[in-house]
Amino acid sequence: MVKTLAAEADDNLSARASINHTWDSNYDRSPDAFSEQITEASLGAGIRKSIRRQTLSAGIGASRYRHRHRDFLDATLYRGSLRWQGEFGSRISFTLLWDYRDRLADRLDFAGRDIINRDEKKASFNYAVYAGWSLVGGVRDAEQTHSNEDRQSLDFEEYDFNAGVQYRSGRGSRVTLRYTGGERHFSNPASDSLSATGARGDLDYDYQRLDFETEWQVTGKTRVTGTIGHFDRDGEINSGKGLKASLQTDWQATEKTILNLTFGYDEPAVGEDSTNPSEIRRLGASASWQWTEKITLNTSAKVELKQFNDRFARVPRDEEIYYWRPVVLNYTITDMISMRLASGFQQRKSPIESLNYTARELSLGLSGQF
C-alpha cells in the first residue's frame, strides 16, 4: 500500500540534544548575593504517527543539572508524554493525554533541593452541533509530589470534570463558556502544622469554576487570547469565592516584528507554593525581531505585584518582583543546530528587608534537532 503525501508529512521520528551554561549572580535570591554557575544537559526523543483520522504521538526526555558551588543541588529530571487525537464521524473529535514531568522548585519559593513531579492524565471531547457551535467537555486526574521532606505537605491529588459550549468562527476564532467542578486532596498533612505553608488545619477543598475563554483573531495581524473565571472553594482553610483572569495580545507589527502584551490576576489557594500570597497581578510585554534569516532577537519585561494578608500570623504587605530580559539572541547555525545567548535581571522589593534581592543572569546554550 502506498502512503499519501499528507500521511508521510505527518509521520516523523525526532531527537533533540542541548547543553546550556548559566551564570547567576544571586542564586539564593537573598540580600547577601552569592553567585552560582549551572550547567544543564538535556536529551529527548519523540515520535508521531498518523493513521487515517487518528494521530498518535509520544515523547521522552531527561535533563541533568550540575552546580559548580552547590553540588548538593545537582539533580536529574525526567519527562514523558503520550497523546492520541482523533475523530469519530463528522461531528466528534477527542484527545487523550498523559504527561509526566519533573521540575526544580523555583528559587524564590524554596532555596533547597526539591524535585517537583507532576503526573497528569486528561481526556477531552468536542461534539459539533450546528454551524460552528459545539459541546465540549473533559475529565482530568493530576498528582503532584515533592522530593524534599520539608515540602511533602504540599503533595496533592486533584480530580475534576468540565462541560461547556463553544463557538468557532469561519476565521478560526473561538469563544467557550465552561463549567468545571473538582476536588484537591493533600496527601501528607502534618499532624500539628504544615511547615511548608505555615498554616494549621486541613488544606483539602472542593471547587467549582465558571470560565469564559476566547481566542479571537481581531484583524489579520492581531490576536487576543484570554480567560476570565469565577471560582468557589469549599474547605477548612481554602474556602471562599474569587476571580482568576489572563489576557494576551499578539500583534504582528511588521513582517519581521511581533509584539506581545500580557495581563494576569489570581487569588491562589493555600498550598500552591510556600509563600501563599493572597493576590497576584502580572503585567508583561515582549518583542521579537527577525533580524536576518538566521538571527532572531527577543526582549521582554514583566512585573508581579503580590499582596499578603495577615493570615497565619504573617506580616501583611505588598511586594513587587521585576523580571527583565534585555537581549535573547537565537542563531540558527544549520538546519539542525542552533545557539542561544540570553541575559536577565530580577529584583524584589519588599517591606521585609531580608526578602529584598537583585540578581543578574547570563546564559549560553547549544541545541540540535535531528
Side-chain angles (χ1 to χ4, degrees):
M1 182 178 293
V2 179
K3 290 185 179 180
T4 66
L5 293 177
E8 290 179 348
D10 285 341
D11 296 344
N12 64 71
L13 175 64
S14 62
R16 179 180 176 86
S18 66
I19 187 165
N20 188 79
H21 188 79
T22 300
W23 172 81
D24 191 316
S25 70
N26 188 353
Y27 200 55
D28 292 332
R29 304 295 185 255
S30 67
D32 301 320
F34 295 99
S35 66
E36 182 59 276
Q37 295 184 47
I38 311 100
T39 300
E40 176 195 358
S42 181
L43 290 172
I47 186 171
R48 177 187 173 95
K49 179 71 174 178
S50 294
I51 306 173
R52 295 184 179 179
R53 302 168 68 186
Q54 317 298 315
T55 300
L56 304 175
S57 58
I60 57 172
S63 298
R64 177 64 179 171
Y65 289 81
R66 296 290 300 272
H67 299 73
R68 181 174 182 180
H69 304 297
R70 300 168 175 81
D71 57 3
F72 61 91
L73 294 177
D74 292 353
T76 301
L77 310 184
Y78 300 97
R79 59 189 179 276
S81 65
L82 294 172
R83 180 188 294 266
W84 177 14
Q85 291 178 286
E87 298 179 6
F88 289 132
S90 60
R91 294 179 178 269
I92 299 175
S93 60
F94 67 91
T95 300
L96 301 178
L97 173 67
W98 169 72
D99 189 72
Y100 179 96
R101 196 166 301 273
D102 291 335
R103 66 178 176 89
L104 296 175
D106 189 286
R107 301 298 298 170
L108 271 177
D109 187 31
F110 187 67
R113 183 182 185 275
D114 184 26
I115 298 174
I116 303 172
N117 172 262
R118 189 172 183 89
D119 188 334
E120 190 168 35
K121 307 169 190 69
K122 289 182 181 179
S124 61
F125 77 91
N126 183 300
Y127 178 75
V129 180
Y130 176 76
W133 291 92
S134 301
L135 299 177
V136 296
V139 293
R140 183 175 67 100
D141 178 1
E143 181 179 7
Q144 180 168 293
T145 59
H146 296 254
S147 66
N148 192 292
E149 291 185 359
D150 293 336
R151 305 250 296 169
Q152 289 178 356
S153 56
L154 298 177
D155 293 355
F156 67 79
E157 299 175 10
E158 186 170 12
Y159 314 92
D160 65 37
F161 70 93
N162 69 84
V165 60
Q166 182 179 96
Y167 172 74
R168 185 184 295 269
S169 74
R171 298 177 61 185
S173 301
R174 62 185 178 185
V175 293
T176 308
L177 184 64
R178 188 188 307 271
Y179 169 82
T180 302
E183 63 180 46
R184 177 175 291 189
H185 169 67
F186 287 82
S187 312
N188 302 307
S191 57
D192 52 352
S193 67
L194 292 170
S195 59
T197 63
R200 294 178 179 271
D202 188 357
L203 295 183
D204 293 359
Y205 63 94
D206 299 331
Y207 58 88
Q208 301 178 73
R209 192 173 68 244
L210 185 64
D211 295 317
F212 176 78
E213 309 163 2
T214 184
E215 184 178 333
W216 201 258
Q217 193 72 39
V218 182
T219 68
K221 296 183 177 182
T222 306
R223 176 176 288 268
V224 175
T225 305
T227 301
I228 182 168
H230 178 271
F231 65 79
D232 185 356
R233 299 181 184 127
D234 182 15
E236 180 181 338
I237 291 179
N238 283 307
S239 182
K241 301 178 180 180
L243 295 174
K244 184 172 184 177
S246 64
L247 180 67
Q248 177 172 321
T249 301
D250 303 304
W251 177 41
Q252 182 86 43
T254 70
E255 184 180 349
K256 296 184 176 183
T257 307
I258 300 175
L259 304 178
N260 310 92
L261 297 175
T262 59
F263 166 79
Y265 175 80
D266 194 9
E267 300 174 37
V270 177
E272 294 285 347
D273 58 30
S274 300
T275 59
N276 297 306
S278 50
E279 292 184 18
I280 306 176
R281 292 175 174 84
R282 300 180 178 92
L283 297 170
S286 64
S288 176
W289 177 41
Q290 187 74 42
W291 186 12
T292 70
E293 287 187 1
K294 293 181 175 291
I295 299 176
T296 302
L297 296 175
N298 299 279
T299 185
S300 64
K302 183 178 74 172
V303 58
E304 287 188 354
L305 308 174
K306 296 186 177 183
Q307 289 187 355
F308 295 83
N309 56 28
D310 58 0
R311 298 179 74 184
F312 321 131
R314 66 188 177 191
V315 177
R317 64 190 187 276
D318 293 338
E319 290 185 355
E320 303 169 6
I321 306 176
Y322 298 91
Y323 304 88
W324 181 36
R325 286 198 171 276
V327 177
V328 178
L329 183 150
N330 293 286
Y331 175 52
T332 303
I333 301 173
T334 70
D335 290 342
M336 294 188 295
I337 300 175
S338 61
M339 182 189 74
R340 184 175 186 269
L341 175 66
S343 58
F345 173 85
Q346 294 184 32
Q347 184 179 41
R348 175 163 62 184
K349 295 182 178 180
S350 171
I352 300 177
E353 189 65 28
S354 61
L355 297 180
N356 290 324
Y357 79 90
T358 298
R360 295 171 179 84
E361 296 178 346
L362 184 65
S363 64
L364 178 64
L366 192 67
S367 64
Q369 183 82 32
F370 310 100

